[in-house]
Amino acid sequence: MRTLIYITLILCNFPSLAAISKWISFSQSNGHITIPVTVEGIETHAILDTGAQIHAINTAFILKNKLDLTATGKTRVKGVYGTEDKKTYNQVELSLFGFDTQIDGLVAAQLGFHTSGILLGAGFFDKFIVQIDYPNSRIRLITRDSLDLGELENIEMRAQRGTGRPIVKVALGEERSAWLLLDTGSNGGLTIKRSVADRLGWLDNKKLSSEISRGVNTLATTNSLRIDEFKFGPYTLENVLVSVPGEGQSANLEDQFSTTGTRIKSAKVEGILGYDILKHFVVTIDYKFGHAHIGLPEQG
């Protein structure tokens, strides 16, 4: 039966963690955060993607290891550049952070080479405050009773209604602000709707270039350029790379990787903020209650 609601990861078998977990090293590949996990007894890696509304298993991983998984039907998945029906699987064995559990509703998707076995979306992080130290490639979890992130936040953020994904408010110019999806699964810098870029005069840039981008379902043409300044929380970045959907190209920037279903009105999302911005910072996020702090890494 086709499922039209987003999938959440069930972590009911996890014991309570200490107030602050140890730092766990992660790998960065094309801007993606990956951590070592075991799926169905096979060592692999999980992609942590805050922009994903679902959890997914790599079709290449299934084929490589000849897995006989319990299929439960199909779900309709909307990517940046298209929508397709995908198989879903239940009772998939998963081991991570030293604990064992099972996941239901894993969506079959193309996640690149077979060494990336699964993708864990925004629902994975709801139980904790997550701190990602990008420059030092490490991540840790913090319980809410040990840190009130609402008192420390230095950027306007909220959890998007209906998805739980983090969206942040940024300045695109002196008088223009926008809500962007904070996406640890995006390897770009800024991806902005073409209509927004046009109103800001960015498309008049003589150095505008074209390239092919891959979404979760298909390929598409994009334009790219660099802007002089971009303000992210209390910090101003220079010479920032911006990607814009090509002329006539339809793009679901507010739904980079999600299931379809009833739309719940929320802040209008006008783009995606990805790795090329995040790589400079320590990002601390309370996904459930919509708080965030942006900081610089410790020296030494």
Side-chain angles (χ1 to χ4, degrees):
M1 182 178 67
R2 179 177 296 167
T3 304
L4 296 179
I5 59 174
Y6 67 89
I7 312 301
T8 57
L9 175 64
I10 299 175
L11 296 174
C12 57
N13 295 329
F14 275 35
S16 298
L17 296 180
I20 303 177
S21 74
K22 293 182 179 180
W23 286 107
I24 297 173
S25 297
F26 62 78
S27 300
Q28 299 181 30
S29 176
N30 293 323
H32 297 151
I33 293 177
T34 62
I35 60 172
V37 298
T38 300
V39 176
E40 291 290 307
I42 301 167
E43 292 183 357
T44 183
H45 288 85
I47 300 171
L48 305 184
D49 186 351
T50 57
Q53 193 181 339
I54 63 173
H55 309 297
I57 186 165
N58 193 353
T59 52
F61 176 76
I62 295 173
L63 293 173
K64 172 67 176 179
N65 296 287
K66 301 179 180 179
L67 297 182
D68 184 17
L69 302 176
T70 304
T72 58
K74 291 185 177 182
T75 187
R76 180 161 293 177
V77 175
K78 180 185 291 185
V80 176
Y81 301 114
T83 299
E84 287 188 2
D85 291 337
K86 303 284 188 179
K87 288 184 179 179
T88 57
Y89 300 97
N90 281 353
Q91 300 177 353
V92 178
E93 299 289 341
L94 171 66
S95 177
L96 75 167
F97 291 106
F99 304 110
D100 299 325
T101 189
Q102 286 187 340
I103 308 180
D104 289 339
L106 269 177
V107 178
Q110 298 175 11
L111 302 178
F113 201 56
H114 69 82
T115 51
S116 295
I118 63 172
L119 177 146
L120 300 177
F124 171 74
F125 302 99
D126 280 352
K127 294 181 180 294
F128 309 99
I129 293 172
V130 181
Q131 189 167 57
I132 306 173
D133 182 348
Y134 277 92
N136 293 304
S137 299
R138 58 184 187 170
I139 183 173
R140 65 180 175 181
L141 307 179
I142 305 171
T143 56
R144 292 188 179 90
D145 58 3
S146 63
L147 176 65
D148 185 354
L149 195 56
E151 294 184 354
L152 301 174
E153 63 183 359
N154 60 0
I155 186 169
E156 190 172 355
M157 176 187 150
R158 65 180 65 170
Q160 189 181 35
R161 293 180 184 177
T163 71
R165 296 173 300 176
I167 57 177
V168 292
K169 193 173 185 179
V170 301
L172 299 179
E174 294 183 0
E175 299 180 356
R176 182 66 161 86
S177 61
W179 286 97
L180 306 180
L181 175 65
L182 194 157
D183 188 358
T184 62
S186 171
N187 60 5
L190 295 178
T191 302
I192 302 294
K193 286 185 175 181
R194 191 174 184 87
S195 58
V196 175
D198 190 24
R199 289 196 296 269
L200 290 169
W202 292 354
L203 301 183
D204 297 331
N205 192 313
K206 295 180 181 180
K207 296 182 179 180
L208 196 68
S209 61
S210 297
E211 57 189 31
I212 301 297
S213 296
R214 177 179 291 276
V216 66
N217 292 325
T218 187
L219 299 175
T221 301
T222 62
N223 297 132
S224 61
L225 66 144
R226 288 191 177 271
I227 58 175
D228 295 333
E229 290 186 352
F230 168 73
K231 189 172 182 181
F232 181 44
Y235 301 99
T236 299
L237 288 76
E238 299 178 344
N239 195 33
V240 174
L241 179 67
V242 178
S243 296
V244 180
E247 188 172 2
Q249 181 71 64
S250 176
N252 303 310
L253 297 185
E254 72 277 14
D255 290 303
Q256 188 197 21
F257 198 167
S258 65
T259 54
T260 61
T262 301
R263 296 299 296 253
I264 301 177
K265 188 175 181 180
S266 183
K268 183 180 181 181
V269 178
E270 297 185 310
I272 298 170
L273 188 152
Y275 172 74
D276 202 47
I277 301 295
L278 299 174
K279 67 182 181 182
H280 303 290
F281 301 102
V282 177
V283 183
T284 308
I285 303 177
D286 185 336
Y287 293 88
K288 185 174 182 179
F289 294 106
H291 302 302
H293 179 274
I294 310 300
L296 297 176
E298 297 177 358
Q299 298 298 318

